[in-house]
């Protein structure tokens, strides 16, 4: 009988100790409630509670990496896309995170989804694809302002994927191909313009001295002869043609 009583006492003591002694890691904090009323934030280290009178809720202060599910978004130019993102946040005020909101993880996730849809819906598809950094900052600032009342700091938001349907992908491919062709034509026209300008400058320089034209003529013959061609084309001097025309008229 005495042994049974001792065993019962030992069990009760162990239960009380397990309820009274808590150990919090360095990245954890304990929000303590005494008879249902908030009495403070404790930790890290060894925490002693009054059994059955005080309760403690653990809060992790490490950065949480949350994958925002894919959202159906209609852009400003009426293009339907699916967008997902990743959210980085952490608790900076355990008291507000436990008291002001029922489940801060779920609340932050739902808020991130609605904010992602509302912000991206105000921009065109081209802006979604080309200005992700700006959109990330806009979403992060909105989330950070709204979650501040919950004691949560949103550190960063990154848009991961913008998924398009096959029809839109083909349309973008055609647009990119047309843009490349336009650039090729512009570059070719600019090259022709620059070449014509240089030829005009060269002609003006050669026209100042007839001997320069003759030297250029001989240099061209030298190049043709060095290529072992069987046919050599001699240019007909324009001055000789004018001379023959004048002589014919005089007769």
């Amino acid at each position: 009988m005495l042994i049974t009583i001792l065993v019962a006492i030992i069990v009760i003591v162990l239960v009380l100790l397990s309820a009274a002694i808590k150990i919090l890691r360095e990245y954890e904090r304990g929000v303590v409630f005494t008879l249902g009323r908030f009495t403070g934030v404790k930790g890290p280290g060894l925490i002693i509670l009054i059994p059955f009178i005080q309760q403690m809720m653990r809060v992790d202060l490490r950065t949480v990496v949350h994958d925002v599910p894919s959202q159906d978004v209609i852009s400003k130019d009426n293009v339907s896309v699916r967008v997902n993102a990743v959210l980085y946040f952490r608790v900076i005020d355990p008291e507000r995170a436990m008291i002001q909101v029922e489940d801060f993880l779920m609340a932050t996730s739902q808020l991130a989804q609605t904010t992602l849809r509302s912000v991206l819906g105000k921009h065109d598809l081209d802006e979604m694809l080309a200005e992700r950094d700006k959109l990330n900052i806009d979403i992060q600032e909105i989330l950070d302002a709204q979650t501040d009342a919950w004691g949560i700091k949103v550190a960063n938001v990154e848009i991961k994927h913008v998924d398009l349907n096959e029809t839109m992908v083909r349309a973008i491919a055609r647009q990119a191909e047309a843009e490349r062709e336009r650039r090729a034509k512009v570059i070719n026209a600019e090259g022709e313009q620059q070449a014509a300008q240089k030829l005009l400058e060269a002609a003006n320089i050669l026209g100042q001295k007839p001997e320069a034209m003759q030297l250029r003529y001989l240099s061209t013959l030298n190049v043709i002869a060095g290529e072992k061609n069987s046919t050599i084309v001699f240019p007909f001097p324009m001055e000789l043609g004018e001379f023959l025309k004048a002589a014919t008229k005089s007769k």
Side-chain angles (χ1 to χ4, degrees), residues 67 72 152-153 171:
D67 191 8
D72 292 324
I152 294 175
K153 172 65 177 177

Side-chain angles (χ1 to χ4, degrees), residues 123 125-136 159:
H123 295 80
L125 177 61
D126 292 340
E127 294 177 349
M128 293 184 193
L129 299 176
E131 300 181 3
R132 289 194 182 185
D133 292 338
K134 180 179 179 298
L135 297 177
N136 291 337
I159 298 175

Side-chain angles (χ1 to χ4, degrees), residues 214-226 232-235:
Q214 185 67 22
L215 291 175
R216 180 59 182 166
Y217 170 68
L218 295 176
S219 176
T220 303
L221 290 179
N222 185 37
V223 172
I224 295 174
I232 298 179
V233 179
F234 291 93

